[in-house]
Amino acid sequence: MRFLYKILLWTIIIMAAAFGVSGYFFVNFVFQTALEREVDQALDGSNILRFAFETAALNAPTKYGVLQDVAIEQIGAKLEVGGQGSGRLLRLSDEDKKALYVSEGFTEDTTLLQTITENSRSFQVTSAGGRYYIQTGIMVSVLNRYLYLETMEDVTEVFEERAMGFKLYRQVTVVMLGVSAVVMFMIGTFLTRPIRILARATRKMAAGDYGYRARQVSNDELGRLTQDFNSMANVLEGTIGELQGEIQAREDFIAAFAHELKTPLTAIIGYADLLRSRELDDEKHFLSSNYIYTEGKRLENMSFRLLDIIVTKREQIEPQPVSAETFFRHLEDMFAGNREQRLQVSFEVGTVYAEVNLIKSVLSNLVDNACKASSSGGVVEVSGRIVEGGYEFRVQDYGVGIPEEELQRVTEAFYMVDKSRSRSRNGAGLGLALCVEILRLHESELWIDSVVDEGTCMSFVLPDKPDQPEKQEGCERHEEAEGPKPEGPEKPGRSKKEAANEV
């Protein structure tokens, strides 16, 4: 049953019970009041009749000073005639409670007669012939006789009024319940409107429309519930978006991983089959073996990078103070044998808090990517300087650059902007993904500023204290000269990327 109908049903039940109980007590109160008034009038009338009977008995003929039964009958008849039109009936009984005079229609019941005593007034409500009477009884003492005077007053009208009151109240109750049902239906429809809106929104979201929001139509508790529901829906939509993004990223990762495995394995299998199935001269034998060795190293390098990424996602580090010079000397030694690009290093003396081997891996990957992006004979600049709250590392190349639409994805695993160039140099698209995870452990982040055909700047800041990391504002934070530019025409000024390009 719908909530609206439940409200309507229970409202009608409660109102019917309230009307019924209150109506019963109200009509019954009016009836009891009228009946008590009739009883009082009947008792007063009984006293008046006793006085009239005593007066008439004193004037009646007696024998030996005793009132005769015949005289009693005559007095009773006169009293009845005098009360015609009032609907009053009489019964006179002697000392033995034997009836001496009885009005036609007077009840034969003697229950009240048996209860009459001296100086008492007794009454009862009785019915006869479909009508209701108030029967009163009183003792009369006159001329040495004790008689019993009973009267019956017709009060049928009082009972009819009660029945009419109940009938009228039932009719009014039915009308009021009908009107109340209509009014409560409209009120219930209005009050439950936010619930229906929330129910509709819930069904929409259950069907997959996570962008649907419930419209707030009130400012009461249900209105606040609608606000809370919409807030929950926003969080849920964001969470589902993140989960879908993670699922898509995992699918892309698996697809890219399978593809990256397929390329070197194909070459390894092909050249191994060639070595196994044919007799080759020394030169071809060497070339085939070299291809197998090169692709094998590529697989090895890719497995190490993946392992490093997995480890850094789960690892927690304890940064130690280390001189920034350590990292720059490591890069000079590592790339000293690079004949295709020239490495220019400049730095300020300072101390950073870091895990040495991990930061060396970050810088090595950034410099290696810069070398791959640069043309033969190009310059790769590596610099470091003290900034507010930390130490900034910066790697600048003047190579092919990264398109703006690619900046958001270059740190994804296996993602490569120029796949042919990267594979030709044993790249797998894992270096920047590893750098991002390592910097995350150091409470830092990688900033990328790049212009196609002009070059790329990658930078990050390591905090000078482990508990106070300082977020970098990008490579454009400083504009001072950093040593001589490479020979040849100067590069034009590069446009600055906003924070939207951060990875």
PDB file of all heavy atoms in Angstrom, residues 15-51:
ATOM      1  N   MET A  15     -10.021   9.566  12.948  1.00  0.00           N
ATOM      2  CA  MET A  15     -11.106  10.548  13.005  1.00  0.00           C
ATOM      3  C   MET A  15     -12.442   9.868  13.280  1.00  0.00           C
ATOM      4  O   MET A  15     -13.281  10.393  14.037  1.00  0.00           O
ATOM      5  CB  MET A  15     -11.163  11.338  11.700  1.00  0.00           C
ATOM      6  CG  MET A  15      -9.967  12.265  11.485  1.00  0.00           C
ATOM      7  SD  MET A  15     -10.158  13.317  10.037  1.00  0.00           S
ATOM      8  CE  MET A  15     -11.533  14.328  10.551  1.00  0.00           C
ATOM      9  N   ALA A  16     -12.686   8.674  12.675  1.00  0.00           N
ATOM     10  CA  ALA A  16     -13.938   7.954  12.923  1.00  0.00           C
ATOM     11  C   ALA A  16     -14.039   7.549  14.391  1.00  0.00           C
ATOM     12  O   ALA A  16     -15.107   7.690  15.020  1.00  0.00           O
ATOM     13  CB  ALA A  16     -14.013   6.730  12.019  1.00  0.00           C
ATOM     14  N   ALA A  17     -12.943   7.062  14.935  1.00  0.00           N
ATOM     15  CA  ALA A  17     -12.941   6.698  16.351  1.00  0.00           C
ATOM     16  C   ALA A  17     -13.163   7.924  17.228  1.00  0.00           C
ATOM     17  O   ALA A  17     -13.937   7.886  18.197  1.00  0.00           O
ATOM     18  CB  ALA A  17     -11.625   6.015  16.716  1.00  0.00           C
ATOM     19  N   ALA A  18     -12.480   9.033  16.877  1.00  0.00           N
ATOM     20  CA  ALA A  18     -12.629  10.257  17.673  1.00  0.00           C
ATOM     21  C   ALA A  18     -14.054  10.790  17.595  1.00  0.00           C
ATOM     22  O   ALA A  18     -14.672  11.148  18.626  1.00  0.00           O
ATOM     23  CB  ALA A  18     -11.639  11.314  17.190  1.00  0.00           C
ATOM     24  N   PHE A  19     -14.622  10.829  16.369  1.00  0.00           N
ATOM     25  CA  PHE A  19     -16.002  11.301  16.214  1.00  0.00           C
ATOM     26  C   PHE A  19     -16.973  10.372  16.933  1.00  0.00           C
ATOM     27  O   PHE A  19     -17.924  10.819  17.578  1.00  0.00           O
ATOM     28  CB  PHE A  19     -16.375  11.393  14.734  1.00  0.00           C
ATOM     29  CG  PHE A  19     -15.929  12.667  14.076  1.00  0.00           C
ATOM     30  CD1 PHE A  19     -15.170  12.643  12.918  1.00  0.00           C
ATOM     31  CD2 PHE A  19     -16.277  13.897  14.610  1.00  0.00           C
ATOM     32  CE1 PHE A  19     -14.755  13.810  12.308  1.00  0.00           C
ATOM     33  CE2 PHE A  19     -15.866  15.075  14.001  1.00  0.00           C
ATOM     34  CZ  PHE A  19     -15.099  15.033  12.846  1.00  0.00           C
ATOM     35  N   GLY A  20     -16.745   9.046  16.804  1.00  0.00           N
ATOM     36  CA  GLY A  20     -17.661   8.102  17.437  1.00  0.00           C
ATOM     37  C   GLY A  20     -17.666   8.232  18.945  1.00  0.00           C
ATOM     38  O   GLY A  20     -18.737   8.306  19.570  1.00  0.00           O
ATOM     39  N   VAL A  21     -16.485   8.257  19.552  1.00  0.00           N
ATOM     40  CA  VAL A  21     -16.407   8.340  21.012  1.00  0.00           C
ATOM     41  C   VAL A  21     -16.945   9.675  21.502  1.00  0.00           C
ATOM     42  O   VAL A  21     -17.769   9.742  22.438  1.00  0.00           O
ATOM     43  CB  VAL A  21     -14.946   8.128  21.480  1.00  0.00           C
ATOM     44  CG1 VAL A  21     -14.823   8.392  22.975  1.00  0.00           C
ATOM     45  CG2 VAL A  21     -14.490   6.719  21.160  1.00  0.00           C
ATOM     46  N   SER A  22     -16.476  10.757  20.867  1.00  0.00           N
ATOM     47  CA  SER A  22     -16.939  12.080  21.313  1.00  0.00           C
ATOM     48  C   SER A  22     -18.433  12.251  21.077  1.00  0.00           C
ATOM     49  O   SER A  22     -19.151  12.827  21.923  1.00  0.00           O
ATOM     50  CB  SER A  22     -16.161  13.183  20.580  1.00  0.00           C
ATOM     51  OG  SER A  22     -16.374  13.094  19.173  1.00  0.00           O
ATOM     52  N   GLY A  23     -18.943  11.725  19.948  1.00  0.00           N
ATOM     53  CA  GLY A  23     -20.376  11.821  19.678  1.00  0.00           C
ATOM     54  C   GLY A  23     -21.199  11.040  20.682  1.00  0.00           C
ATOM     55  O   GLY A  23     -22.254  11.505  21.141  1.00  0.00           O
ATOM     56  N   TYR A  24     -20.709   9.846  21.031  1.00  0.00           N
ATOM     57  CA  TYR A  24     -21.440   9.040  22.011  1.00  0.00           C
ATOM     58  C   TYR A  24     -21.531   9.763  23.350  1.00  0.00           C
ATOM     59  O   TYR A  24     -22.618   9.859  23.946  1.00  0.00           O
ATOM     60  CB  TYR A  24     -20.739   7.689  22.180  1.00  0.00           C
ATOM     61  CG  TYR A  24     -21.299   6.869  23.313  1.00  0.00           C
ATOM     62  CD1 TYR A  24     -22.477   6.136  23.166  1.00  0.00           C
ATOM     63  CD2 TYR A  24     -20.649   6.843  24.551  1.00  0.00           C
ATOM     64  CE1 TYR A  24     -22.994   5.399  24.222  1.00  0.00           C
ATOM     65  CE2 TYR A  24     -21.161   6.100  25.604  1.00  0.00           C
ATOM     66  CZ  TYR A  24     -22.328   5.387  25.439  1.00  0.00           C
ATOM     67  OH  TYR A  24     -22.839   4.659  26.476  1.00  0.00           O
ATOM     68  N   PHE A  25     -20.401  10.278  23.812  1.00  0.00           N
ATOM     69  CA  PHE A  25     -20.419  10.962  25.104  1.00  0.00           C
ATOM     70  C   PHE A  25     -21.235  12.250  25.050  1.00  0.00           C
ATOM     71  O   PHE A  25     -21.942  12.598  26.003  1.00  0.00           O
ATOM     72  CB  PHE A  25     -18.987  11.274  25.555  1.00  0.00           C
ATOM     73  CG  PHE A  25     -18.272  10.083  26.119  1.00  0.00           C
ATOM     74  CD1 PHE A  25     -17.278   9.455  25.397  1.00  0.00           C
ATOM     75  CD2 PHE A  25     -18.613   9.568  27.364  1.00  0.00           C
ATOM     76  CE1 PHE A  25     -16.621   8.349  25.905  1.00  0.00           C
ATOM     77  CE2 PHE A  25     -17.958   8.465  27.887  1.00  0.00           C
ATOM     78  CZ  PHE A  25     -16.955   7.842  27.147  1.00  0.00           C
ATOM     79  N   PHE A  26     -21.176  12.964  23.929  1.00  0.00           N
ATOM     80  CA  PHE A  26     -21.924  14.224  23.828  1.00  0.00           C
ATOM     81  C   PHE A  26     -23.427  13.981  23.830  1.00  0.00           C
ATOM     82  O   PHE A  26     -24.180  14.580  24.618  1.00  0.00           O
ATOM     83  CB  PHE A  26     -21.506  14.961  22.554  1.00  0.00           C
ATOM     84  CG  PHE A  26     -22.293  16.206  22.292  1.00  0.00           C
ATOM     85  CD1 PHE A  26     -22.080  17.360  23.034  1.00  0.00           C
ATOM     86  CD2 PHE A  26     -23.277  16.231  21.312  1.00  0.00           C
ATOM     87  CE1 PHE A  26     -22.820  18.509  22.804  1.00  0.00           C
ATOM     88  CE2 PHE A  26     -24.019  17.375  21.075  1.00  0.00           C
ATOM     89  CZ  PHE A  26     -23.787  18.509  21.816  1.00  0.00           C
ATOM     90  N   VAL A  27     -23.885  13.064  22.942  1.00  0.00           N
ATOM     91  CA  VAL A  27     -25.326  12.789  22.858  1.00  0.00           C
ATOM     92  C   VAL A  27     -25.818  12.167  24.157  1.00  0.00           C
ATOM     93  O   VAL A  27     -26.916  12.489  24.649  1.00  0.00           O
ATOM     94  CB  VAL A  27     -25.617  11.873  21.660  1.00  0.00           C
ATOM     95  CG1 VAL A  27     -27.098  11.465  21.640  1.00  0.00           C
ATOM     96  CG2 VAL A  27     -25.254  12.587  20.361  1.00  0.00           C
ATOM     97  N   ASN A  28     -25.020  11.287  24.733  1.00  0.00           N
ATOM     98  CA  ASN A  28     -25.418  10.645  25.975  1.00  0.00           C
ATOM     99  C   ASN A  28     -25.472  11.656  27.125  1.00  0.00           C
ATOM    100  O   ASN A  28     -26.337  11.560  28.013  1.00  0.00           O
ATOM    101  CB  ASN A  28     -24.442   9.517  26.324  1.00  0.00           C
ATOM    102  CG  ASN A  28     -25.150   8.337  26.940  1.00  0.00           C
ATOM    103  OD1 ASN A  28     -26.239   7.948  26.509  1.00  0.00           O
ATOM    104  ND2 ASN A  28     -24.555   7.775  27.978  1.00  0.00           N
ATOM    105  N   PHE A  29     -24.556  12.633  27.099  1.00  0.00           N
ATOM    106  CA  PHE A  29     -24.588  13.665  28.133  1.00  0.00           C
ATOM    107  C   PHE A  29     -25.866  14.491  28.024  1.00  0.00           C
ATOM    108  O   PHE A  29     -26.526  14.779  29.035  1.00  0.00           O
ATOM    109  CB  PHE A  29     -23.357  14.567  27.979  1.00  0.00           C
ATOM    110  CG  PHE A  29     -23.376  15.763  28.879  1.00  0.00           C
ATOM    111  CD1 PHE A  29     -23.079  15.652  30.231  1.00  0.00           C
ATOM    112  CD2 PHE A  29     -23.719  17.021  28.389  1.00  0.00           C
ATOM    113  CE1 PHE A  29     -23.111  16.757  31.066  1.00  0.00           C
ATOM    114  CE2 PHE A  29     -23.764  18.125  29.217  1.00  0.00           C
ATOM    115  CZ  PHE A  29     -23.448  17.998  30.560  1.00  0.00           C
ATOM    116  N   VAL A  30     -26.223  14.864  26.812  1.00  0.00           N
ATOM    117  CA  VAL A  30     -27.466  15.626  26.612  1.00  0.00           C
ATOM    118  C   VAL A  30     -28.664  14.799  27.056  1.00  0.00           C
ATOM    119  O   VAL A  30     -29.596  15.295  27.718  1.00  0.00           O
ATOM    120  CB  VAL A  30     -27.599  16.039  25.137  1.00  0.00           C
ATOM    121  CG1 VAL A  30     -28.962  16.693  24.879  1.00  0.00           C
ATOM    122  CG2 VAL A  30     -26.480  16.994  24.753  1.00  0.00           C
ATOM    123  N   PHE A  31     -28.640  13.498  26.710  1.00  0.00           N
ATOM    124  CA  PHE A  31     -29.753  12.616  27.090  1.00  0.00           C
ATOM    125  C   PHE A  31     -29.854  12.480  28.608  1.00  0.00           C
ATOM    126  O   PHE A  31     -30.957  12.578  29.176  1.00  0.00           O
ATOM    127  CB  PHE A  31     -29.535  11.244  26.436  1.00  0.00           C
ATOM    128  CG  PHE A  31     -30.410  10.172  27.001  1.00  0.00           C
ATOM    129  CD1 PHE A  31     -31.767  10.121  26.699  1.00  0.00           C
ATOM    130  CD2 PHE A  31     -29.892   9.208  27.870  1.00  0.00           C
ATOM    131  CE1 PHE A  31     -32.580   9.129  27.244  1.00  0.00           C
ATOM    132  CE2 PHE A  31     -30.703   8.223  28.403  1.00  0.00           C
ATOM    133  CZ  PHE A  31     -32.041   8.178  28.097  1.00  0.00           C
ATOM    134  N   GLN A  32     -28.720  12.250  29.281  1.00  0.00           N
ATOM    135  CA  GLN A  32     -28.744  12.090  30.727  1.00  0.00           C
ATOM    136  C   GLN A  32     -29.229  13.363  31.407  1.00  0.00           C
ATOM    137  O   GLN A  32     -29.982  13.323  32.398  1.00  0.00           O
ATOM    138  CB  GLN A  32     -27.339  11.717  31.237  1.00  0.00           C
ATOM    139  CG  GLN A  32     -26.892  10.317  30.851  1.00  0.00           C
ATOM    140  CD  GLN A  32     -27.736   9.237  31.510  1.00  0.00           C
ATOM    141  OE1 GLN A  32     -28.364   9.455  32.563  1.00  0.00           O
ATOM    142  NE2 GLN A  32     -27.800   8.069  30.876  1.00  0.00           N
ATOM    143  N   THR A  33     -28.807  14.511  30.867  1.00  0.00           N
ATOM    144  CA  THR A  33     -29.251  15.784  31.446  1.00  0.00           C
ATOM    145  C   THR A  33     -30.764  15.936  31.325  1.00  0.00           C
ATOM    146  O   THR A  33     -31.470  16.317  32.288  1.00  0.00           O
ATOM    147  CB  THR A  33     -28.542  16.949  30.742  1.00  0.00           C
ATOM    148  OG1 THR A  33     -27.127  16.796  30.873  1.00  0.00           O
ATOM    149  CG2 THR A  33     -28.969  18.280  31.328  1.00  0.00           C
ATOM    150  N   ALA A  34     -31.300  15.626  30.126  1.00  0.00           N
ATOM    151  CA  ALA A  34     -32.747  15.725  29.917  1.00  0.00           C
ATOM    152  C   ALA A  34     -33.497  14.715  30.782  1.00  0.00           C
ATOM    153  O   ALA A  34     -34.563  15.026  31.359  1.00  0.00           O
ATOM    154  CB  ALA A  34     -33.067  15.508  28.440  1.00  0.00           C
ATOM    155  N   LEU A  35     -32.935  13.504  30.896  1.00  0.00           N
ATOM    156  CA  LEU A  35     -33.603  12.475  31.684  1.00  0.00           C
ATOM    157  C   LEU A  35     -33.612  12.848  33.163  1.00  0.00           C
ATOM    158  O   LEU A  35     -34.644  12.656  33.859  1.00  0.00           O
ATOM    159  CB  LEU A  35     -32.896  11.129  31.479  1.00  0.00           C
ATOM    160  CG  LEU A  35     -33.556   9.921  32.138  1.00  0.00           C
ATOM    161  CD1 LEU A  35     -34.972   9.705  31.558  1.00  0.00           C
ATOM    162  CD2 LEU A  35     -32.706   8.667  31.940  1.00  0.00           C
ATOM    163  N   GLU A  36     -32.521  13.388  33.677  1.00  0.00           N
ATOM    164  CA  GLU A  36     -32.484  13.822  35.069  1.00  0.00           C
ATOM    165  C   GLU A  36     -33.491  14.937  35.318  1.00  0.00           C
ATOM    166  O   GLU A  36     -34.139  14.989  36.380  1.00  0.00           O
ATOM    167  CB  GLU A  36     -31.075  14.282  35.436  1.00  0.00           C
ATOM    168  CG  GLU A  36     -30.059  13.147  35.521  1.00  0.00           C
ATOM    169  CD  GLU A  36     -28.648  13.654  35.751  1.00  0.00           C
ATOM    170  OE1 GLU A  36     -28.482  14.895  35.853  1.00  0.00           O
ATOM    171  OE2 GLU A  36     -27.720  12.823  35.820  1.00  0.00           O
ATOM    172  N   ARG A  37     -33.618  15.810  34.338  1.00  0.00           N
ATOM    173  CA  ARG A  37     -34.612  16.881  34.477  1.00  0.00           C
ATOM    174  C   ARG A  37     -36.021  16.306  34.545  1.00  0.00           C
ATOM    175  O   ARG A  37     -36.852  16.729  35.364  1.00  0.00           O
ATOM    176  CB  ARG A  37     -34.472  17.855  33.309  1.00  0.00           C
ATOM    177  CG  ARG A  37     -35.433  19.046  33.399  1.00  0.00           C
ATOM    178  CD  ARG A  37     -35.202  20.046  32.276  1.00  0.00           C
ATOM    179  NE  ARG A  37     -35.484  19.449  30.970  1.00  0.00           N
ATOM    180  CZ  ARG A  37     -34.566  19.155  30.075  1.00  0.00           C
ATOM    181  NH1 ARG A  37     -33.279  19.384  30.348  1.00  0.00           N
ATOM    182  NH2 ARG A  37     -34.894  18.619  28.919  1.00  0.00           N
ATOM    183  N   GLU A  38     -36.306  15.311  33.709  1.00  0.00           N
ATOM    184  CA  GLU A  38     -37.627  14.674  33.715  1.00  0.00           C
ATOM    185  C   GLU A  38     -37.866  13.930  35.029  1.00  0.00           C
ATOM    186  O   GLU A  38     -38.985  13.916  35.571  1.00  0.00           O
ATOM    187  CB  GLU A  38     -37.749  13.716  32.527  1.00  0.00           C
ATOM    188  CG  GLU A  38     -37.743  14.384  31.164  1.00  0.00           C
ATOM    189  CD  GLU A  38     -38.985  15.239  30.957  1.00  0.00           C
ATOM    190  OE1 GLU A  38     -40.033  14.951  31.573  1.00  0.00           O
ATOM    191  OE2 GLU A  38     -38.906  16.210  30.169  1.00  0.00           O
ATOM    192  N   VAL A  39     -36.783  13.281  35.554  1.00  0.00           N
ATOM    193  CA  VAL A  39     -36.930  12.579  36.834  1.00  0.00           C
ATOM    194  C   VAL A  39     -37.276  13.556  37.952  1.00  0.00           C
ATOM    195  O   VAL A  39     -38.167  13.309  38.783  1.00  0.00           O
ATOM    196  CB  VAL A  39     -35.646  11.793  37.159  1.00  0.00           C
ATOM    197  CG1 VAL A  39     -35.679  11.289  38.605  1.00  0.00           C
ATOM    198  CG2 VAL A  39     -35.481  10.631  36.194  1.00  0.00           C
ATOM    199  N   ASP A  40     -36.556  14.682  37.985  1.00  0.00           N
ATOM    200  CA  ASP A  40     -36.833  15.694  39.007  1.00  0.00           C
ATOM    201  C   ASP A  40     -38.270  16.201  38.899  1.00  0.00           C
ATOM    202  O   ASP A  40     -38.970  16.382  39.922  1.00  0.00           O
ATOM    203  CB  ASP A  40     -35.850  16.855  38.877  1.00  0.00           C
ATOM    204  CG  ASP A  40     -34.432  16.460  39.275  1.00  0.00           C
ATOM    205  OD1 ASP A  40     -34.285  15.457  40.003  1.00  0.00           O
ATOM    206  OD2 ASP A  40     -33.469  17.143  38.842  1.00  0.00           O
ATOM    207  N   GLN A  41     -38.717  16.432  37.670  1.00  0.00           N
ATOM    208  CA  GLN A  41     -40.088  16.915  37.486  1.00  0.00           C
ATOM    209  C   GLN A  41     -41.110  15.854  37.925  1.00  0.00           C
ATOM    210  O   GLN A  41     -42.145  16.177  38.524  1.00  0.00           O
ATOM    211  CB  GLN A  41     -40.306  17.287  36.017  1.00  0.00           C
ATOM    212  CG  GLN A  41     -39.544  18.529  35.588  1.00  0.00           C
ATOM    213  CD  GLN A  41     -39.743  18.845  34.096  1.00  0.00           C
ATOM    214  OE1 GLN A  41     -40.437  18.098  33.396  1.00  0.00           O
ATOM    215  NE2 GLN A  41     -39.157  19.957  33.648  1.00  0.00           N
ATOM    216  N   ALA A  42     -40.762  14.578  37.614  1.00  0.00           N
ATOM    217  CA  ALA A  42     -41.689  13.503  37.996  1.00  0.00           C
ATOM    218  C   ALA A  42     -41.767  13.376  39.515  1.00  0.00           C
ATOM    219  O   ALA A  42     -42.854  13.169  40.084  1.00  0.00           O
ATOM    220  CB  ALA A  42     -41.233  12.189  37.362  1.00  0.00           C
ATOM    221  N   LEU A  43     -40.590  13.496  40.199  1.00  0.00           N
ATOM    222  CA  LEU A  43     -40.606  13.414  41.664  1.00  0.00           C
ATOM    223  C   LEU A  43     -41.341  14.599  42.281  1.00  0.00           C
ATOM    224  O   LEU A  43     -42.096  14.443  43.271  1.00  0.00           O
ATOM    225  CB  LEU A  43     -39.178  13.334  42.186  1.00  0.00           C
ATOM    226  CG  LEU A  43     -38.426  12.043  41.852  1.00  0.00           C
ATOM    227  CD1 LEU A  43     -36.965  12.144  42.310  1.00  0.00           C
ATOM    228  CD2 LEU A  43     -39.102  10.835  42.522  1.00  0.00           C
ATOM    229  N   ASP A  44     -41.130  15.778  41.701  1.00  0.00           N
ATOM    230  CA  ASP A  44     -41.875  16.954  42.205  1.00  0.00           C
ATOM    231  C   ASP A  44     -43.376  16.768  41.983  1.00  0.00           C
ATOM    232  O   ASP A  44     -44.211  17.111  42.855  1.00  0.00           O
ATOM    233  CB  ASP A  44     -41.378  18.221  41.500  1.00  0.00           C
ATOM    234  CG  ASP A  44     -39.959  18.584  41.905  1.00  0.00           C
ATOM    235  OD1 ASP A  44     -39.505  18.102  42.962  1.00  0.00           O
ATOM    236  OD2 ASP A  44     -39.290  19.349  41.151  1.00  0.00           O
ATOM    237  N   GLY A  45     -43.734  16.221  40.834  1.00  0.00           N
ATOM    238  CA  GLY A  45     -45.158  15.980  40.556  1.00  0.00           C
ATOM    239  C   GLY A  45     -45.744  14.965  41.514  1.00  0.00           C
ATOM    240  O   GLY A  45     -46.917  15.056  41.914  1.00  0.00           O
ATOM    241  N   SER A  46     -44.922  13.962  41.867  1.00  0.00           N
ATOM    242  CA  SER A  46     -45.392  12.955  42.816  1.00  0.00           C
ATOM    243  C   SER A  46     -45.684  13.591  44.173  1.00  0.00           C
ATOM    244  O   SER A  46     -46.694  13.252  44.828  1.00  0.00           O
ATOM    245  CB  SER A  46     -44.331  11.850  42.941  1.00  0.00           C
ATOM    246  OG  SER A  46     -44.727  10.882  43.888  1.00  0.00           O
ATOM    247  N   ASN A  47     -44.836  14.518  44.630  1.00  0.00           N
ATOM    248  CA  ASN A  47     -45.079  15.214  45.898  1.00  0.00           C
ATOM    249  C   ASN A  47     -46.358  16.049  45.838  1.00  0.00           C
ATOM    250  O   ASN A  47     -47.133  16.125  46.808  1.00  0.00           O
ATOM    251  CB  ASN A  47     -43.889  16.097  46.247  1.00  0.00           C
ATOM    252  CG  ASN A  47     -42.706  15.290  46.764  1.00  0.00           C
ATOM    253  OD1 ASN A  47     -42.902  14.237  47.368  1.00  0.00           O
ATOM    254  ND2 ASN A  47     -41.504  15.780  46.546  1.00  0.00           N
ATOM    255  N   ILE A  48     -46.562  16.704  44.693  1.00  0.00           N
ATOM    256  CA  ILE A  48     -47.775  17.530  44.547  1.00  0.00           C
ATOM    257  C   ILE A  48     -49.025  16.647  44.608  1.00  0.00           C
ATOM    258  O   ILE A  48     -50.038  17.003  45.247  1.00  0.00           O
ATOM    259  CB  ILE A  48     -47.722  18.322  43.234  1.00  0.00           C
ATOM    260  CG1 ILE A  48     -46.584  19.346  43.292  1.00  0.00           C
ATOM    261  CG2 ILE A  48     -49.052  18.992  42.942  1.00  0.00           C
ATOM    262  CD1 ILE A  48     -46.329  20.062  41.991  1.00  0.00           C
ATOM    263  N   LEU A  49     -48.947  15.464  43.936  1.00  0.00           N
ATOM    264  CA  LEU A  49     -50.099  14.558  43.962  1.00  0.00           C
ATOM    265  C   LEU A  49     -50.367  14.057  45.379  1.00  0.00           C
ATOM    266  O   LEU A  49     -51.532  13.885  45.801  1.00  0.00           O
ATOM    267  CB  LEU A  49     -49.849  13.380  43.024  1.00  0.00           C
ATOM    268  CG  LEU A  49     -50.042  13.665  41.537  1.00  0.00           C
ATOM    269  CD1 LEU A  49     -49.684  12.438  40.726  1.00  0.00           C
ATOM    270  CD2 LEU A  49     -51.482  14.097  41.240  1.00  0.00           C
ATOM    271  N   ARG A  50     -49.278  13.756  46.124  1.00  0.00           N
ATOM    272  CA  ARG A  50     -49.480  13.313  47.506  1.00  0.00           C
ATOM    273  C   ARG A  50     -50.187  14.389  48.317  1.00  0.00           C
ATOM    274  O   ARG A  50     -51.129  14.100  49.094  1.00  0.00           O
ATOM    275  CB  ARG A  50     -48.133  12.965  48.141  1.00  0.00           C
ATOM    276  CG  ARG A  50     -48.280  12.457  49.580  1.00  0.00           C
ATOM    277  CD  ARG A  50     -46.954  12.087  50.191  1.00  0.00           C
ATOM    278  NE  ARG A  50     -46.087  13.255  50.352  1.00  0.00           N
ATOM    279  CZ  ARG A  50     -44.880  13.213  50.944  1.00  0.00           C
ATOM    280  NH1 ARG A  50     -44.421  12.058  51.392  1.00  0.00           N
ATOM    281  NH2 ARG A  50     -44.164  14.316  51.054  1.00  0.00           N
ATOM    282  N   PHE A  51     -49.753  15.639  48.149  1.00  0.00           N
ATOM    283  CA  PHE A  51     -50.411  16.718  48.876  1.00  0.00           C
ATOM    284  C   PHE A  51     -51.873  16.850  48.468  1.00  0.00           C
ATOM    285  O   PHE A  51     -52.776  17.028  49.312  1.00  0.00           O
ATOM    286  CB  PHE A  51     -49.664  18.030  48.627  1.00  0.00           C
ATOM    287  CG  PHE A  51     -50.279  19.203  49.294  1.00  0.00           C
ATOM    288  CD1 PHE A  51     -50.116  19.407  50.673  1.00  0.00           C
ATOM    289  CD2 PHE A  51     -51.055  20.121  48.588  1.00  0.00           C
ATOM    290  CE1 PHE A  51     -50.714  20.495  51.300  1.00  0.00           C
ATOM    291  CE2 PHE A  51     -51.638  21.202  49.217  1.00  0.00           C
ATOM    292  CZ  PHE A  51     -51.466  21.402  50.574  1.00  0.00           C
TER     293      PHE A  51
END
